[in-house]
Amino acid sequence: MKPTIYDVAEKAGVSIATVSYVMNNQKVGKKSREKVLKAMEELNYKPSLLASALTGKRTTTIGFLLPDLANPFVAEMARRVEDRAHERGFNVVICSTDSDKEKEALYTSLLRQKRVDGFIFAGDLKNVDVVKELVGEQTPVVLLAVSHPAVSVNSVTVDDFTGGYQVASHLISLGHKRIAVIAEEAISSRERIRGYKHALQDQGIEIDEDLIVTSDSSFEDGERLADELLNTSHPPTAIFACNDILAIGSFLAARKKNRSIPGDLSVAGFDNTLLSKSSDPPLTIVEQPIQDMCSQAVDLLIEEIEGKSTRKQRIVLLPDLIIRQSTGPCRF
Amino acid sequence: MKPTIYDVAEKAGVSIATVSYVMNNQKVGKKSREKVLKAMEELNYKPSLLASALTGKRTTTIGFLLPDLANPFVAEMARRVEDRAHERGFNVVICSTDSDKEKEALYTSLLRQKRVDGFIFAGDLKNVDVVKELVGEQTPVVLLAVSHPAVSVNSVTVDDFTGGYQVASHLISLGHKRIAVIAEEAISSRERIRGYKHALQDQGIEIDEDLIVTSDSSFEDGERLADELLNTSHPPTAIFACNDILAIGSFLAARKKNRSIPGDLSVAGFDNTLLSKSSDPPLTIVEQPIQDMCSQAVDLLIEEIEGKSTRKQRIVLLPDLIIRQSTGPCRF
DNA sequence: CTGAAAGCGCTAACAC
DNA sequence: GTGTTAGCGCTTTCAG
């Protein structure tokens, strides 16, 4: 069997309390401390974090619920969250919810039974009640890259409205008037669309609701929707895709139709993942400061876990429009 | 405070043992069972998995160590592993090691203290001793998309040798003789290179070691190495990239030099991630059956955790060469 | 069938 | 300073 605190105590000729004290850096006589350290060393003793957590200490584990780890943008967030969490001594258990209410509830419940110290919900949130319940029971929660007016929790987001506004303005400045939007079924997209509409209005361009479509955020669906848009009698000259995957989907549709980008069609995306850097031409996008967002989210959560946090806050970072080669002057 | 088993017992007018029995589906009188169930319901009781694990039950958590979650191929594996694990009632804690010996050791140690039920190591393994130690202490382990002759553990891999052989043969059949390889610093790449060499030899083509280079597996490095290869006096007419990222890096290099693909340069990759489907032209690649590999890995691990497994096994799946448009006849 | 009681490994008063 | 001891919440003999 693995050595326990009793084994160490016995070997060191002290009581288990003393062993516990040295582990937790409490006042202990120099002699005793050394004996204990030596015994731990010799036995290759590793304290059980389970037992320790049972007595009221933290589990130093946080639950991270996200829509889909296979999505590159989400995966990158996960990596950043993980990094920051590790830096601060926490582990992360990741659960992909597929933006499904039941899964959100199920995984949250399970992780609570495992006594995770807190939760981060990223990218989307279908089941607000889950978060409300968590908050009601004083469980630390932070929302990342998504926020919700109905709950009072810490959140870190990018200003989606501004992002949408920036993209639309950029496209308008290039002379585009018929600008389509391929959105995802998520809260963030709604804000981006709002920004987009606002920009059009500011420039006195009429909004055509037929140009705004919603997808399930896959290459295939992006391609299909872009194709449909291009097949209409009065097709758009530019597409604003609400994430990189949908943008690339649009690329595929354009390619099949032999439309050149940005010659025949301008395409802009959102996120700035690997996909946007590797595409041909490179994608004009709104960049989300992933690293920054994730670090802040983790820090916020840990402050709350450690009870140091004062008041709830909503951190909104400003996105950057990065103009690359997928957008160009309107030729029509 | 959260309700405990005592609260339920009291409310139901039975002993905690009885409550425990109904939770574990043991024989309990119908009357008692109903009372207990009712009390649990009313209190919204959720048993602490911590306490339960402390008494010897599983934590139903597995540790998943991988090189880098931000890599699309790795992220997809993570998603598949997570899915399968959830299906089987397990949670997954993910740790990116950056293929670093220290991190591998550190995270493993930490997770053991948290009493995870088993480990999956994916994609790479720098610190074999870590695995050896785990095995020595009867901790269930499986290697995924990587294997190591020095340890006797369950593993699920794709036949890298065959994959390399397939790519090289395909390229040779198109008339290519100078075929470069951009490898990663990982065990799997070595096998792929072996397969590549074997194919060349079988066709009587001389091996030029200068055409085989190693990268750190980023776009930038792939681009840089491809660029260097193309700048030599006797450049390759085809590149075999050991993963999709490096293949796309090669695309970028070719694009900068205005070399068309596959006209001036054929490029083939490995993995079959989103990147290979979205590139222009779509990438010829060796497909790893990710889903299958991951399910089997999780199943193997859980069998071992549940003590049902018989003997250690090494599962080797055969890869498929998928010919798309990035490879074509040699014109030189 | 069900209850009493002894742990699981560690923490934290409370005494000495 | 250091030891004793009572839990943390649950499982599991062992009686009855």
Side-chain angles (χ1 to χ4, degrees), chain B residues 210-244:
Chain B
D210 290 342
L211 288 178
I212 304 174
V213 298
T214 301
S215 78
D216 64 12
S217 198
S218 65
F219 278 148
E220 292 72 21
D221 213 41
E223 180 176 353
R224 179 179 64 76
L225 290 168
D227 187 66
E228 286 176 14
L229 286 166
L230 294 175
N231 276 335
T232 57
S233 56
H234 193 18
T237 63
I239 293 179
F240 166 29
C242 280
N243 67 41
D244 285 356

Side-chain angles (χ1 to χ4, degrees), chain A residues 60 79 82 96 98 114, chain B residues 60 68 79 82 96 98 114:
Chain A
T60 57
R79 176 52 147 117
E82 193 214 315
S96 296
D98 292 314
K114 294 193 177 178
Chain B
T60 56
D68 175 17
R79 175 55 145 114
E82 193 213 312
S96 297
D98 293 313
K114 295 194 177 175

Side-chain angles (χ1 to χ4, degrees), chain A residues 2-3 44 46-51 53-54 57 59-61 66-72 75-76 78-80 82-83 86 89-98 103 107 109-115 133 137 219-220 245 248 252 255 274-275 277-282, chain B residues 2-3 44 46-51 53-54 57 59-61 66-72 75-76 78-80 82-83 86 89-98 103 107 109-115 133 137 219-220 245 248 252 255 274-275 277-282:
Chain A
K2 297 199 52 147
N44 188 28
K46 308 278 184 196
S48 160
L49 264 19
L50 269 195
L54 187 60
K57 294 215 149 181
T59 53
T60 57
T61 302
L66 37 72
D68 175 17
L69 198 46
N71 173 314
E76 181 148 2
R79 176 52 147 117
R80 299 302 154 221
E82 193 214 315
D83 276 357
H86 276 146
F90 283 72
N91 280 115
V92 180
V93 17
I94 291 175
C95 299
S96 296
T97 65
D98 292 314
K103 285 189 187 171
Y107 296 151
S109 169
L110 199 59
L111 292 180
R112 299 199 56 209
Q113 291 188 240
K114 294 193 177 178
R115 298 289 185 274
E133 193 176 343
E137 304 188 5
F219 278 147
E220 293 72 19
I245 292 184
I248 300 300
L252 297 177
R255 195 185 302 161
L274 283 184
L275 287 173
K277 293 163 199 156
S278 68
S279 66
D280 182 16
Chain B
K2 299 199 51 148
N44 189 28
K46 309 278 183 197
S48 159
L49 263 18
L50 268 195
L54 187 60
K57 292 211 149 184
T59 54
T60 56
T61 302
L66 36 72
D68 175 17
L69 198 45
N71 174 313
E76 181 149 0
R79 175 55 145 114
R80 298 302 153 222
E82 193 213 312
D83 276 357
H86 277 147
F90 283 72
N91 280 114
V92 180
V93 18
I94 291 175
C95 299
S96 297
T97 64
D98 293 313
K103 286 190 186 169
Y107 296 150
S109 170
L110 199 60
L111 292 179
R112 298 198 55 208
Q113 291 188 238
K114 295 194 177 175
R115 297 289 184 276
E133 193 176 342
E137 303 188 5
F219 278 148
E220 292 72 21
I245 293 184
I248 300 300
L252 298 177
R255 195 185 302 161
L274 283 185
L275 287 173
K277 293 164 199 154
S278 68
S279 66
D280 182 16

Side-chain angles (χ1 to χ4, degrees), chain A residues 99 124 126 181-186 189 193 212-226 228-229 240-247 249-250:
Chain A
S99 294
D124 200 7
K126 298 296 186 205
V181 180
I182 303 183
E184 17 174 8
E185 185 54 71
S189 275
I193 291 173
I212 303 175
V213 298
T214 298
S215 78
D216 65 9
S217 197
S218 66
F219 278 147
E220 293 72 19
D221 212 38
E223 178 174 354
R224 179 180 64 76
L225 290 167
E228 286 176 13
L229 286 166
F240 166 29
C242 280
N243 67 41
D244 285 357
I245 292 184
L246 294 170
S250 306

